[in-house]
Amino acid sequence: DAKKEDSISTLFAKVFQKPKSFYKEMIENGFRNVCLEKKVPMEKATQLKNKFIDGLFYEEDFTRVYPYGSLASHILGYVNKEMIGTEGLEKVYNKQLTGKDGNYVFERDVLGRVISVDEKASAPAVPGNNINLTINKTYQKILQEELAKGLEKYGGESAVGIVMNPNDGEILALANMPDYDPANYEIFSADARRNRAITDTYEPGSTFKSIVLSILFDQKLARENELINTEGGKYFIKNVRVFDDHPHENLTVREVLEVSSNIGMTKLSARFQDETLYKYLRDFGFSNPTSVEMPGEAEGILRKPSTYNQLSKAFLSFGYGIAVTPLQIIAAYSALVNGGTLYKPYLVKSITDYKGNVVQENHPTKIRTVISKSTSDIIKDIMVGVVEKGTGIAAQLDNVLVGGKTGTSQKLENGSYTSRKHNSSFVGFFPADNPQIICMILVNAPEVGKYGGLVAAPIFREVS
């Protein structure tokens, strides 16, 4: 019908600003049903829906739009082809984000042609709720860019970065490299879509020393200026060699952390009662999921005190024989520097409906007090020394005093440790006297640099 063709072509040309002939040719050359436009924005679709021309019909095909591309992809997750949230917050809050369908009541003539719509009997669709995040968009962008640059510079299989407010558990940025575009999730591997910050565990190495040392101070089992014999960098315990990369004959307890002495930590760890060490590490959150609002969180591994011996405690004191997630480490470090309180990390600030009414509001959740404020002050001060004159020098910032700790741990390959592959990490905080920002960087198997002080600490500096 030439008249209908003309009406439809005129309408589409007007709405989409294209020549009328463009649509006429499509209709004339088409076979059966012809699709004139796909993925039409809502405002244009509304203009078309209100026009009733016999033969013209539409199909609803909703699309989730991610306007910032891969930004925060591992936090957001994605929806699958059936519009069901499949990863990340999309999965956790699928019901909240899904709206309610509306309906139109049409009146047709005897030939089945639509002649009017009954507005009173029709109901508009109701949009889903809005999830408002704690994420700072600028921090998130910088973190992703610097992790990508770091991987390029140092090599490595993957990298993780987390930025938090240590005083309340708010996650300000969380990123994994490689990342992916949620709008085109199917073209990325499952490996790229994995949120390593919460799903992957690793042995933390020397970043664990700050935590163990804080327990020693809290139990009054060590004094910061007490001298420890560090054996010139080589020490045997049960015929197993423990060595330091930077050998010293003697170190104060403060210096044990500053230069990251394995031998110093080995000797100090012998002072613990097994149950006490275990209880503190549980209190710091290890072997418990943090319960952050994301799917697939690992709980990690912390062996029971009945399995401890002099050797296993020694290895534990410098971060081996335990499995942790990056999020568990930064949450524990937040307690180290905020005065001793473990907070639940969280991503969702509030949930509002489409009219802006608050449906749910989240507040900081204190889990427990782990160490005293005086212990927190001592360990914080020593970690400033790590950055000022120890292994974390590469993390120094020009305009603000930074504290932190480096970590380098050998990776397990086929059941044994290899000196060829490492996890290199750094946890840093600033301003040192009253920390407002804490940042954790982990690079998996860097090819250049190896050590946390040479790989993760410089990435921290660039992010900060």
Side-chain angles (χ1 to χ4, degrees):
D1 186 315
K3 195 175 174 186
K4 286 180 197 168
E5 278 181 24
D6 192 70
S7 300
I8 293 169
S9 302
T10 304
L11 173 63
F12 272 71
K14 185 182 172 189
V15 172
F16 294 100
Q17 310 283 290
K18 290 180 184 174
K20 187 175 164 182
S21 57
F22 173 78
Y23 294 107
K24 274 199 112 162
E25 277 178 32
M26 280 179 79
I27 295 167
E28 285 166 3
N29 297 332
F31 178 69
R32 290 191 182 166
N33 294 333
V34 179
C35 179
L36 298 177
E37 289 287 350
K38 285 180 181 175
K39 306 289 183 191
V40 176
M42 187 56 79
E43 69 277 4
K44 290 187 175 177
T46 306
Q47 292 176 53
L48 295 169
K49 283 179 182 178
N50 292 337
K51 305 289 180 189
F52 299 104
I53 304 168
D54 193 30
L56 176 64
F57 68 97
Y58 62 88
E59 285 181 2
E60 298 274 9
D61 175 28
F62 293 105
T63 302
R64 175 72 93 220
V65 177
Y66 297 93
Y68 300 110
S70 64
L71 193 76
S73 55
H74 291 95
I75 296 169
L76 300 178
Y78 58 89
V79 293
N80 63 17
K81 300 296 183 205
E82 286 73 47
M83 296 303 291
I84 296 167
T86 304
E87 289 290 348
L89 295 174
E90 291 277 25
K91 180 176 183 176
V92 175
Y93 291 100
N94 187 57
K95 277 187 181 172
Q96 295 266 22
L97 289 163
T98 304
K100 290 187 174 72
D101 290 341
N103 64 288
Y104 283 104
V105 177
F106 297 105
E107 190 181 343
R108 297 178 184 272
D109 63 14
V110 290
L111 296 174
R113 294 173 300 193
V114 174
I115 53 173
S116 69
V117 64
D118 186 342
E119 297 287 349
K120 284 181 183 172
S122 300
V126 178
N129 290 338
N130 296 312
I131 312 290
N132 307 300
L133 305 184
T134 58
I135 295 298
N136 178 309
K137 209 162 65 197
T138 308
Y139 294 0
Q140 182 70 31
K141 188 169 187 292
I142 291 167
L143 182 62
Q144 288 188 209
E145 284 174 358
E146 294 304 334
L147 282 180
K149 282 187 203 166
L151 270 190
E152 205 172 299
K153 185 173 181 180
Y154 303 108
E157 292 167 13
S158 60
V160 172
I162 308 171
V163 180
M164 277 175 66
N165 179 341
N167 305 304
D168 60 12
E170 271 196 358
I171 297 173
L172 304 172
L174 184 149
N176 296 266
M177 284 293 151
D179 62 3
Y180 71 100
D181 177 5
N184 299 294
Y185 68 89
E186 68 282 358
I187 66 171
F188 293 86
S189 67
D191 196 52
R193 300 197 303 256
R194 201 166 75 243
N195 187 356
R196 292 176 171 81
I198 65 163
T199 64
D200 287 21
T201 60
Y202 72 108
E203 289 179 294
S206 295
T207 51
F208 212 63
K209 289 173 182 169
S210 307
I211 292 161
V212 174
L213 198 55
S214 79
I215 304 168
L216 282 156
F217 287 141
D218 210 55
Q219 283 287 297
K220 312 248 182 312
L221 293 173
R223 301 182 315 279
E224 60 177 305
N225 294 317
E226 179 188 351
L227 212 57
I228 305 293
N229 177 358
T230 47
E231 311 284 349
K234 272 187 193 175
Y235 183 58
F236 284 87
I237 176 169
K238 290 192 172 181
N239 296 323
V240 176
R241 190 178 70 147
V242 177
F243 64 94
D244 288 337
D245 286 314
H246 309 289
H248 294 271
E249 288 302 326
N250 296 287
L251 291 167
T252 64
V253 171
R254 167 182 276 272
E255 289 167 338
V256 164
L257 194 68
E258 286 178 354
V259 302
S260 205
S261 166
N262 293 339
I263 294 169
M265 291 305 299
T266 294
K267 293 201 165 182
L268 287 165
S269 69
R271 300 178 181 185
F272 281 121
Q273 285 193 327
D274 299 350
E275 291 283 351
T276 305
L277 178 59
Y278 175 78
K279 182 189 176 298
Y280 268 94
L281 294 177
R282 286 278 296 184
D283 283 354
F284 267 113
F286 299 111
S287 78
N288 283 311
T290 68
S291 299
V292 71
E293 314 96 322
M294 284 189 287
E297 186 180 13
E299 60 182 31
I301 299 165
L302 172 63
R303 293 193 179 111
K304 293 281 196 294
S306 56
T307 68
Y308 292 2
N309 58 40
Q310 199 183 350
L311 190 61
S312 65
K313 271 198 296 193
F315 275 90
L316 191 56
S317 76
F318 48 88
Y320 285 92
I322 183 170
V324 304
T325 66
L327 189 60
Q328 283 176 330
I329 279 285
I330 195 170
Y333 259 76
S334 294
L336 273 188
V337 305
N338 70 16
T341 302
L342 184 72
Y343 284 97
K344 173 185 175 289
Y346 70 106
L347 278 162
V348 176
K349 222 171 208 169
S350 64
I351 300 175
T352 52
D353 66 18
Y354 74 102
K355 291 177 181 172
N357 302 313
V358 177
V359 175
Q360 180 186 321
E361 198 158 15
N362 290 339
H363 300 284
T365 305
K366 176 183 172 176
I367 296 171
R368 68 182 70 86
T369 300
V370 189
I371 51 173
S372 68
K373 185 181 182 305
S374 58
T375 299
S376 173
D377 289 343
I378 294 168
I379 207 75
K380 203 163 47 175
D381 187 55
I382 298 175
M383 285 197 283
V384 171
V386 170
V387 175
E388 288 298 294
K389 55 189 176 186
T391 56
I393 284 174
Q396 288 177 4
L397 300 176
D398 295 337
N399 53 354
V400 64
L401 197 59
V402 173
K405 184 70 190 80
T406 55
T408 312
S409 58
Q410 290 186 3
K411 292 191 66 175
L412 276 169
E413 266 194 355
N414 304 320
S416 59
Y417 290 102
T418 171
S419 57
R420 291 182 295 106
K421 285 189 175 182
H422 298 79
N423 281 309
S424 303
S425 59
F426 181 79
V427 188
F429 57 90
F430 59 88
D433 56 339
N434 181 23
Q436 298 301 306
I437 296 286
I438 188 162
C439 175
M440 191 272 179
I441 303 290
L442 170 67
V443 179
N444 175 5
E447 288 154 21
V448 178
K450 183 178 89 169
Y451 295 105
L454 301 178
V455 177
I459 297 174
F460 165 89
R461 186 185 61 227
E462 295 306 321
V463 169
S464 307

